[in-house]
Amino acid sequence: MDVIATSRQLLESGAVQAVIGFEAGTRGIPRPAFIRRAEGAGALVFDANCTQNLGTYLTRPEVRTLGRVAVTATPDTLRAILQLMAERQLKEEDVLALAVDATGEALELPTAQAVEEHLAMVAQVLPDRDREALERLGRMTREERWAFWQGEFARCVKCYACRNSCPMCYCGHCTMDCNRPQWVAEPSHALGNLEYHMVRAMHLAGRCVACGACGRACPVGIPVHLLTFHGEESVHRQFGQRAGASSRLDYALSTFRPDDKETFIR
Amino acid sequence: MTDSFEPKITAFVCNWCTYAGADLTGTSRIKYASNVRVLRLPCTGRIDFMLLAKAFSRGADGIIVSGCHPNDCHYTSGNYHARRRWMVYRDLMDFMGLDTRRITFSWVSAAEGARWAELVNEVTVAVRALGPYTDYRELALTGVE
């Protein structure tokens, strides 16, 4: 069944109280829609332009009050759902993932295991553009990388769109808003921007599901997603795990192995 | 070589091993570089990466982070957690273009007073050769903290 028919049936039967999906927006860009009645399901769309990670809404207090929700999902969204479950932010019974394929067919994935099995068939690959950007940065000297990021951060206005679009940034009280002590300089000057992006990257290392929603959300086009992608690659290379792979994953930085290998501690 | 530049080294050390080790250096009457400012924390597991970033923005040219050897943590596993954090943070620093040569991670036990002196001296010489760390500090000057 397609997204509309599936959603209508789920809402009619009371299996879910709301469907989070996309509806037609302005300038051809779909926008998130929260459908709570079966007759509203006709507005749902799902196409290649639906790239926002809807997982970001699942932990919002106002969405939690809706009851059980279904969410139309790309593989990125599915990984976000598993990671939220791993971080005990989402219960299996609170969410029904609707994996939508290129033809618009919706597949109901009611359990974490079903999501995991579905994801096992989908290869997780970084988009070529991002992989090349990471490699290009890797080839630069340290000074060139510093200049690159300083140039990028100079445009940052600290709108926090990257934070808000991220399904893993759900903390009720973010370090950015913490002023006792003031961890991060508040204004969007050079130091405040660098520290903000450093904290964001560190807090997402080992938790980033590499959906790239942050980079797409940036109004001034800073490739902020490269920072979290890099952190994710770093964790995978050193600790052999990827966020979003399972609903029973330990956070890489709150666990350890006595034989973790590094080369720099004297 | 001119001696006009003396680096400021900030050392973040754990209460149980490296701090006690540094204390032993003193009681053993071992002389070492006075460039180091020691900050005592309960455990390396307590050392947030932002503390290191703050040190750079407040004028540190080099940083030492030191705690108990693996298996010797007073809290059993704080240093193991810290090690993972530094493995990721050091990678990120490099990716963002910060100078990783200016942070030295080390294990110094409570019995290694001589080793502490050696470590501080080595880091001081290395950072003196690198010169002042201005990248980060200049950013801090653009805004009022």
Side-chain angles (χ1 to χ4, degrees), chain A residues 205-244:
Chain A
R207 304 174 55 236
C208 170
V209 294
C211 65
C214 47
R216 286 192 296 271
C218 182
V220 292
I222 302 171
V224 288
H225 57 291
L226 296 181
L227 292 167
T228 54
F229 284 13
H230 175 267
E232 191 48 33
E233 289 301 315
S234 173
V235 165
H236 179 251
R237 191 183 67 248
Q238 302 189 91
F239 312 128
Q241 65 179 59
R242 276 197 198 282

Side-chain angles (χ1 to χ4, degrees), chain A residues 142 145 234 237 252 258 266, chain B residues 83-84 91 94 97 105 122:
Chain A
R142 180 189 73 74
R145 272 197 296 276
S234 173
R237 191 183 67 248
R266 294 210 248 157
Chain B
R83 180 166 68 183
R84 280 211 163 188
D91 240 21
D94 189 48
F105 299 95
E122 280 169 19

Side-chain angles (χ1 to χ4, degrees), chain B residues 13 26 32 44 58 77 119 126 142:
Chain B
V13 304
Y32 63 101
T44 40
R58 299 291 174 90
S77 61
L119 176 74
T142 62

Side-chain angles (χ1 to χ4, degrees), chain B residues 52 67 71 82 86-87 89 93 95-96 98-99 105 111 114 120 139 141-142:
Chain B
L52 313 189
N71 270 332
W86 304 135
M87 286 166 77
Y89 184 59
M93 275 183 72
F95 186 63
M96 294 180 89
L98 282 103
D99 195 348
F105 299 95
V120 172
L139 297 189
L141 293 174
T142 62

Side-chain angles (χ1 to χ4, degrees), chain A residues 40-62:
Chain A
L44 287 169
V45 297
F46 202 91
D47 57 34
N49 292 325
C50 299
T51 53
Q52 191 190 334
N53 194 332
L54 294 176
T56 191
Y57 295 111
L58 295 172
T59 50
R60 304 289 167 96
E62 53 272 44

